[in-house]
Amino acid sequence: ASSRSRLAVLWTSADPEVADRMAFMYTRNAKSQAWFDTVRLIVWGPSANLLASNKNLQKQVKTMMDEGVRVQACVVCARSYGVVEDLRAMEIEVKPMGKPLSDLLKDGWKVLSL
């Protein structure tokens, strides 16, 4: 895929409205409408805690995953909130994300941070 067709959405906000009305809406459409070939959602910081406790957002993430969005979460953040197992139970890839994010940036991915 060309760099123009790879999107990583870096979701950090603890605000459920940001998730619902922007981060998730755009991420899901970017994949389902084929605006980008490859779409990844990265759960980082306060968003990890929000996702672990919000059933509506969990349902939306599951739908996105079913539609082909790869979802990853920062293990350091998840551990700090005590939600590693909650996220893994959703089949989210929970791992150190500093280097993977750096690699995406160096490799020409479009990164949208919310």
Side-chain angles (χ1 to χ4, degrees), residues 3-74:
S3 60
R4 255 176 280 130
S5 64
R6 297 176 301 174
L7 172 70
V9 176
L10 182 59
W11 174 44
T12 63
S13 174
D15 184 340
E17 210 170 341
V18 169
D20 203 32
R21 299 284 174 236
M22 197 310 162
F24 286 14
M25 189 181 292
Y26 183 77
T27 304
R28 187 169 173 200
N29 281 306
K31 184 63 181 170
S32 66
Q33 305 294 318
W35 297 336
F36 288 86
D37 295 332
T38 305
V39 179
R40 193 173 295 188
L41 177 68
I42 301 171
V43 181
W44 198 311
S47 63
N49 198 35
L50 174 63
L51 182 58
S53 62
N54 187 306
K55 297 283 186 226
N56 171 47
L57 297 181
Q58 289 172 17
K59 199 183 315 174
Q60 292 186 56
V61 166
K62 172 88 175 81
T63 300
M64 274 191 267
M65 291 169 75
D66 289 345
E67 292 174 353
V69 174
R70 182 174 174 191
V71 182
Q72 297 174 303
C74 168

Side-chain angles (χ1 to χ4, degrees), residues 42-112:
I42 301 171
V43 181
W44 198 311
S47 63
N49 198 35
L50 174 63
L51 182 58
S53 62
N54 187 306
K55 297 283 186 226
N56 171 47
L57 297 181
Q58 289 172 17
K59 199 183 315 174
Q60 292 186 56
V61 166
K62 172 88 175 81
T63 300
M64 274 191 267
M65 291 169 75
D66 289 345
E67 292 174 353
V69 174
R70 182 174 174 191
V71 182
Q72 297 174 303
C74 168
V75 69
V76 177
C77 306
R79 200 178 287 134
S80 74
Y81 291 110
V83 299
V84 173
E85 294 315 314
D86 301 276
L87 299 179
R88 286 198 171 132
M90 298 174 59
E91 298 179 4
I92 292 172
E93 196 181 329
V94 183
K95 65 182 200 174
M97 284 303 301
K99 173 126 178 29
L101 176 60
S102 299
D103 291 343
L104 295 180
L105 290 166
K106 288 191 264 186
D107 200 27
W109 284 60
K110 303 295 183 197
V111 177
L112 182 63

